[in-house]
Amino acid sequence: MNILVTGGAGYIGSHVVKEILEKRSDNVVILDNFSTGSRKNVDTLKKIDVNGRLKIIEADLSNFSLVEGIFKSYSFDAIIHFAASIIVPESVENPLKYYMNNTVNTTNLIRLATNYGVERFIFSSTAAVYGEPEEVPVKETTILSPINPYGMSKMMSERVLIDTAKANNDFKYVILRYFNVAGADMNNAKTIEDINPRIGQAFPEATHLIKVAAETATGKRDKIYIFGDDYDTKDGTCIRDYIHVDDLAMAHLQALDYLNENVSDIFNCGYGHGYTVKEVINTMKKVSGVDFKVEITGRRAGDPSKLIADNSKILNKLGWQPKFDNLELICKSAFEWEKRLD
Ligand SMILES: NC(=O)c1ccc[n+]([C@@H]2O[C@H](COP(=O)([O-])OP(=O)(O)OC[C@H]3O[C@@H](n4cnc5c(N)ncnc54)[C@H](O)[C@@H]3O)[C@@H](O)[C@H]2O)c1
């Protein structure tokens, strides 16, 4: 297949491209504006690409005529669409950035996919579409009720995909709703001591707990904050479902094959169980050997106490078999990657 990967220089996209290059024979075109993407990750992907199957195009999705030119030059069989703005507090301050970059640019991409006969579309969605869910574990059928423009921009993109597929028999999608993505490239490590990531999350302003804990363990931050320790959980801190980025990457490869035989579908991506913020911080301290400073501060608005995926659908229908469901391994890979980042 010829696959267009938007946002392939970013954290999750680069891991998916790595898996495609290592496990399949498809050609990949990365389209990325490098706003948060990493040139270092892309250089590593070029090294992994031993038989010249990877092309990089530096472009912005908002440049509709340029993006259309790319569709004219390549005959794509599938699109995996990661490119987006992803910082929740920023989406509250600047909602139009999120509706333009996430919803409008995605809508244009879907339009081009249908105009140029691209039949498969894999979309990066998020647990943020559920808002503060009434049922946990969260099912794909749980009511969608985003509480910030980021989640809303993704929900609206999902809607455009669903309606477009309803009206076009030749267009199919898989929507993957990621829970908390963490960790870095396992690079075939056999044991936790062998972990030596080649790529990882490179953007410094990330807000994800495990990334921030790794930055604190490596001395890039002087302390880490816990936002609220009075939730109704075993130690008072919020519980999240952390999924290793390599396991998530494999779900994308399976989603591509799934569409050969099946109709469009939506899957939660998570392990179906979670850890508290304190458990994550203590695990990061253990695997790094660094007893970094932790400060408890007030709750953040809109943080549900518990967010866990019901993952039975992805396990049963997609046949996804996660390999790295282990918090120590996730934290260790994030820490080892952070040490290698300049
Ligand atoms: N990281 C998570 O925990 C998480 C959770 C749920 C969903 N997601 C979704 O996964 C996707 C990837 O997230 P990520 O963590 O890899 O983020 P990221 O910021 O590392 O990757 C996004 C990539 O898209 C590129 N990009 C952004 N806007 C663009 C534009 N207009 N034109 C071209 N390129 C553009 C960036 O340069 C970057 O390389 C996003 O759609 C995000 O909403 C991520």
Side-chain angles (χ1 to χ4, degrees):
M1 283 200 264
N2 286 329
I3 306 176
L4 172 64
V5 179
T6 73
Y11 171 44
I12 303 168
S14 60
H15 285 78
V16 171
V17 172
K18 172 199 71 162
E19 295 292 344
I20 293 174
L21 293 173
E22 289 186 333
K23 303 212 165 71
R24 297 171 61 109
S25 53
D26 311 297
N27 299 310
V28 175
V29 174
I30 289 181
L31 187 165
D32 203 297
N33 65 1
F34 290 91
S35 54
T36 57
S38 156
R39 293 185 195 279
K40 204 172 152 184
N41 279 348
V42 166
D43 288 343
T44 306
L45 292 175
K46 285 182 189 156
K47 285 186 197 139
I48 294 172
D49 173 36
V50 284
N51 35 25
R53 291 185 284 127
L54 176 64
K55 274 226 144 45
I56 319 291
I57 299 178
E58 183 162 352
D60 196 295
L61 280 175
S62 64
N63 188 338
F64 289 4
S65 57
L66 190 152
V67 178
E68 180 152 9
I70 297 170
F71 276 76
K72 282 184 182 146
S73 309
Y74 296 86
S75 173
F76 294 121
D77 302 291
I79 298 172
I80 313 182
H81 178 40
F82 297 98
S85 302
I86 71 160
I87 299 171
V88 171
E90 185 191 49
S91 80
V92 177
E93 306 264 303
N94 189 357
L96 284 176
K97 175 175 173 182
Y98 282 71
Y99 290 118
M100 294 303 288
N101 197 27
N102 298 358
T103 314
V104 174
N105 290 343
T106 299
T107 304
N108 182 56
L109 204 59
I110 295 167
R111 179 182 70 88
L112 291 173
T114 57
N115 285 356
Y116 288 85
V118 187
E119 295 186 348
R120 301 175 187 81
F121 198 105
I122 315 293
F123 178 60
S124 299
S125 192
T126 162
V129 296
Y130 298 114
E132 297 178 35
E134 283 182 5
E135 54 175 358
V136 179
V138 185
K139 297 189 182 68
E140 288 83 355
T141 49
T142 298
I143 200 147
L144 303 189
S145 185
I147 54 168
N148 50 59
Y150 168 66
M152 189 59 86
S153 70
K154 288 285 181 173
M155 191 189 89
M156 290 162 76
S157 305
E158 286 193 5
R159 193 73 237 171
V160 180
L161 268 175
I162 292 165
D163 289 343
T164 304
K166 269 188 201 151
N168 292 274
N169 288 334
D170 296 335
F171 179 76
K172 294 198 272 190
Y173 63 82
V174 167
I175 291 170
L176 297 173
R177 292 183 182 145
Y178 315 157
F179 281 63
N180 288 60
V181 190
D185 171 37
M186 289 299 291
N187 193 8
N188 300 312
K190 297 276 177 287
T191 66
I192 199 159
E193 288 75 34
D194 287 346
I195 293 174
N196 182 18
R198 295 162 293 178
I199 55 174
Q201 192 167 5
F203 192 60
E205 285 162 39
T207 49
H208 306 98
L209 175 64
I210 291 181
K211 168 78 175 168
V212 172
E215 287 176 349
T216 318
T218 50
K220 295 176 188 173
R221 295 177 187 242
D222 59 357
K223 61 183 160 191
I224 186 165
Y225 291 99
I226 294 179
F227 299 103
D229 66 349
D230 56 352
Y231 287 92
D232 183 19
T233 59
K234 57 184 163 186
D235 62 19
T237 63
C238 290
I239 295 178
R240 294 289 180 273
D241 186 338
Y242 296 95
I243 169 174
H244 191 283
V245 64
D246 275 352
D247 275 339
L248 179 64
M250 285 310 294
H252 292 75
L253 273 57
Q254 288 183 284
L256 282 173
D257 292 337
Y258 182 83
L259 286 182
N260 292 336
E261 309 284 333
N262 298 282
V263 294
S264 301
D265 218 331
I266 301 178
F267 298 99
N268 283 340
C269 300
Y271 290 142
H273 61 89
Y275 296 97
T276 68
V277 175
K278 282 186 181 165
E279 284 172 331
V280 169
I281 289 175
N282 289 335
T283 305
M284 184 59 81
K285 284 185 176 184
K286 182 178 168 200
V287 300
S288 66
V290 183
D291 186 17
F292 51 85
K293 203 168 153 197
V294 181
E295 193 171 308
I296 313 268
T297 178
R299 289 184 181 200
R300 287 183 303 201
D303 265 345
S305 63
K306 212 171 170 189
L307 204 49
I308 291 172
D310 179 329
N311 64 359
S312 44
K313 192 173 171 193
I314 191 168
L315 294 176
N316 297 329
K317 269 187 108 174
L318 202 67
W320 181 60
Q321 293 179 322
K323 292 188 345 205
F324 308 117
D325 177 5
N326 175 324
L327 186 61
E328 286 196 9
L329 183 152
I330 293 174
C331 287
K332 177 79 169 160
S333 64
F335 175 66
E336 290 300 329
W337 165 251
E338 203 59 50
K339 283 202 297 190
R340 285 159 181 74
L341 260 180
D342 306 325

